[in-house]
Amino acid sequence: MSATEAAAATPVVEKSDNHADAHDVKLTPLLAFKYVASLGLMVFSMVLVGALIFTKNTRVAQEASPWVSLIVLILAVLWLTMIEGQQASLVGLPPVDPDLYKDSHPMTYKNAAIAFKGDNLDRYLMGRQFMVLLVVFVINQCASPMDPSADVLGLPDGVKTVFLDVPGLGMIIFTCILGQLTTQVNASHCMIDTINNYFALFTLYTTMVVEFSGIMHASYLIQNILSGISGKPIMTNEEPRTGFTFAFFWGRVVMSVAILSFCMAATLVALFNGQTSISTKYPSITPGISVFLFFFFMAIVGMLEGMQIAFFAVAKLPANERGTSFFGRKTCELLFKGNGENLPGFMIGRQLTVVASFFLVGSITSMNIEPGTGENIFGVSDSAQTFLNYGFQGAVITTILASISWQLAASAFPIAFLNNPVTYILLCVALFLEFTGLCSGAWVLARVLKTTLKYQYDEVYVGTPEERAANNHADKAYGDDMGHLAGAGFRGYACGSRDALDGPIEEIAADEGA
């Protein structure tokens, strides 16, 4: 087929030329202040992290070298940006006809062809969820202080407490802005450009390998239990498992349950024996309180993961069906106030809270047992104890019990999550954190990155959903959410459409009505 014939065979959607302008947000003095202040805090946080590393006040810098710690940290943050951005692309593109970007973005098409085959998208999201936890735990080991009270650039104790100790604001801002929100903001509107590269394809393959390994397969057992309790069937695009496929699947489930059980047992024994990093940093915290904090922050992560699934699920329901209790109605009134402008606010505040909880869980689960002293957990080898000291078993526990399980539970019982008074409290906390503007700098960095990489808004390539429908390329509908993962809340943003991450929805509505 000649190039002319190939071009003629490629579907074409007539597009208007003013889409990019629709994404601009009016810059107000308050917004400008938040941008500048947030970027200033980010730079300050980066300086603090650098100082910690080169004074050997982080675990990796102390046990390896400052340069190893810095290089691993940079690579981890870079990979986190792709992990976060890719999922925004892959959960937004399924409804769009891939032939519309097949020729212009061949790597995006290849990513989509793999991810959208059968149930691969759910497999990707499960592997991705573990990778996010694993990478954040690596960042924690590379950049969080071993001794928060040690001198850092001569800063006063109050500043060190806020930025390095509790709540560890420096690490939270550093990770959220550089590793997560910047790329999420771009990927929510530049889905097609974001994954049009080999880095995205490598990340996709890696997540699929992680899922195939079976480490997270205990989540499928929980999925089946919740399906049975709720009476909702698990939606699948594949034939039922039989023979070897059936045995191999459930064999990995058994293996995963065994791994999870070991990780949980090892963590609890270390906590009760005072052999974790939290006991070293804060000797006054008793083992009982350490165990309580471990489950408390796991529950916070779980609630926030479940809330974002429940919120997107009930957004499809009529207003009078969204809440069936006092707190359920209060939650919906606050969340969907006006045209729903508080939903993106929650997503930003949620990100801050979840990352903070990840770091705290990482500190709680990492051990301080010196190999070769005869105190190894369950008598494991010295090399195994060295691995456990880094706390990566916490990533397994958190992914299965505090992330995926709660997402699945929320997809089965969204109204129950809304009716929970804790949901309302956490919503208020998340909205307050977003209001502070701590991570507002991510929007500035996103614009700089978009310009540097020459990203275009998706509608430049494939038009808006309305334009695609008008040109006989209407988007496919999403299936039932039961049993599906959503990954960071980016579930079903329409490719080529505005979403509330851009700015005030009232202005959008006014512009469209003009």
Side-chain angles (χ1 to χ4, degrees):
M1 180 182 290
S2 67
T4 303
E5 292 172 332
T10 302
V12 177
V13 172
E14 293 184 7
K15 304 177 288 291
S16 52
D17 56 5
N18 61 347
H19 296 306
D21 294 338
H23 292 272
D24 291 336
V25 177
K26 183 179 180 181
L27 188 64
T28 65
L30 177 60
L31 190 58
F33 173 77
K34 287 183 177 181
Y35 285 164
V36 174
S38 177
L39 289 173
L41 287 173
M42 184 197 70
V43 172
F44 179 63
S45 299
M46 293 171 65
V47 172
L48 285 181
V49 169
L52 288 172
I53 289 174
F54 284 99
T55 55
K56 295 188 176 181
N57 195 11
T58 73
R59 182 185 288 272
V60 177
Q62 190 177 94
E63 297 183 1
S65 78
W67 285 107
V68 170
S69 183
L70 180 63
I71 292 170
V72 172
L73 175 64
I74 292 173
L75 293 176
V77 171
L78 285 175
W79 203 2
L80 184 61
T81 63
M82 177 51 69
I83 295 170
E84 294 288 4
Q86 185 182 51
Q87 65 87 25
S89 296
L90 290 181
V91 300
L93 285 174
V96 180
D97 182 355
D99 285 339
L100 293 174
Y101 53 83
K102 178 179 181 179
D103 294 330
S104 62
H105 294 75
M107 294 306 299
T108 299
Y109 181 82
K110 191 167 185 177
N111 272 274
I114 297 169
F116 303 157
K117 181 180 179 181
D119 290 334
N120 279 353
L121 184 57
D122 286 325
R123 296 187 180 99
Y124 157 77
L125 288 169
M126 183 171 291
R128 171 211 166 268
Q129 197 73 19
F130 178 65
M131 285 180 60
V132 168
L133 267 296
L134 192 62
V135 171
V136 170
F137 274 47
V138 169
I139 293 172
N140 183 52
Q141 296 298 327
C142 290
S144 64
M146 294 286 287
D147 181 7
S149 62
D151 178 64
V152 181
L153 303 176
L155 295 172
D157 291 341
V159 175
K160 288 191 295 183
T161 298
V162 172
F163 281 88
L164 300 177
D165 198 354
V166 179
L169 200 59
M171 284 297 302
I172 296 170
I173 292 175
F174 171 84
T175 305
C176 282
I177 294 182
L178 291 180
Q180 296 179 305
L181 290 176
T182 297
T183 186
Q184 286 178 350
V185 169
N186 274 338
S188 65
H189 293 298
C190 306
M191 303 175 190
I192 297 174
D193 277 335
T194 297
I195 58 174
N196 191 43
N197 52 74
Y198 284 101
F199 189 19
L201 189 63
F202 169 75
T203 301
L204 174 60
Y205 280 129
T206 304
T207 59
M208 298 292 285
V209 169
V210 169
E211 190 278 339
F212 180 80
S213 71
I215 297 174
M216 299 292 106
H217 269 48
S219 302
Y220 291 120
L221 176 62
I222 297 170
Q223 180 188 53
N224 279 269
I225 293 172
L226 289 170
S227 176
I229 294 173
S230 67
K232 298 179 180 179
I234 298 173
M235 306 304 294
T236 179
N237 299 314
E238 298 179 350
E239 295 296 322
R241 300 179 185 89
T242 58
F244 174 77
T245 304
F246 178 87
F248 185 54
F249 173 81
W250 286 105
R252 285 178 291 171
V253 170
V254 173
M255 179 193 73
S256 177
V257 171
I259 292 173
L260 176 62
S261 300
F262 172 81
C263 291
M264 181 63 78
T267 298
L268 290 177
V269 168
L271 285 171
F272 279 116
N273 290 341
Q275 296 173 311
T276 65
S277 295
I278 193 171
S279 298
T280 303
K281 290 183 179 180
Y282 312 105
S284 60
I285 294 181
T286 65
I289 295 177
S290 297
V291 172
F292 169 78
L293 291 174
F294 171 62
F295 285 106
F296 175 78
F297 288 113
M298 291 266 286
I300 294 296
V301 171
M303 281 297 301
L304 290 167
E305 293 283 11
M307 284 166 62
Q308 51 110 355
I309 301 298
F311 289 168
F312 279 87
V314 300
K316 307 170 185 176
L317 300 177
N320 61 352
E321 296 180 13
R322 288 174 177 167
T324 58
S325 72
F326 172 78
F327 281 105
R329 289 188 291 271
K330 292 286 288 183
T331 297
C332 289
E333 288 172 5
L334 180 59
L335 183 67
F336 299 107
K337 177 183 176 183
N339 287 318
E341 62 266 28
N342 280 340
L343 183 56
F346 161 74
M347 295 306 301
I348 304 304
R350 168 199 168 278
Q351 194 86 319
L352 285 164
T353 312
V354 167
V355 170
S357 298
F358 284 167
F359 284 136
L360 289 167
V361 171
S363 295
I364 292 171
T365 58
S366 59
M367 302 178 187
N368 61 359
I369 299 173
E370 185 177 347
T373 59
E375 297 184 0
N376 294 1
I377 290 289
F378 302 141
V380 300
S381 66
D382 289 346
S383 58
Q385 185 58 59
T386 299
F387 179 79
L388 291 174
N389 282 349
Y390 282 92
F392 295 130
Q393 65 275 11
V396 175
I397 298 170
T398 307
T399 303
I400 296 175
L401 298 183
S403 182
I404 294 175
S405 296
W406 291 67
Q407 287 189 27
L408 294 171
S411 71
F413 306 102
I415 302 300
F417 267 82
L418 284 181
N419 290 338
N420 190 331
V422 178
T423 296
Y424 181 73
I425 295 171
L426 290 176
L427 173 60
C428 293
V429 171
L431 290 176
F432 171 75
L433 290 174
E434 189 277 335
F435 175 77
T436 63
L438 290 172
C439 288
S440 294
W443 273 258
V444 179
L445 293 183
R447 180 60 65 92
V448 172
L449 186 65
K450 176 180 177 296
T451 302
T452 302
L453 298 179
K454 298 181 180 180
Y455 283 176
Q456 295 288 335
Y457 292 118
D458 293 314
E459 56 266 40
V460 173
Y461 303 118
V462 298
T464 65
E466 295 78 13
E467 290 169 343
R468 292 194 292 272
N471 287 272
N472 298 318
H473 287 283
D475 291 356
K476 294 174 286 188
Y478 278 102
D480 191 283
D481 287 336
M482 175 56 205
H484 291 296
L485 304 179
F490 288 88
R491 178 68 170 104
Y493 283 142
C495 179
S497 175
R498 284 189 62 99
D499 64 51
L501 282 175
D502 282 319
I505 292 180
E506 299 94 332
E507 292 186 10
I508 301 169
D511 290 341
E512 290 176 346

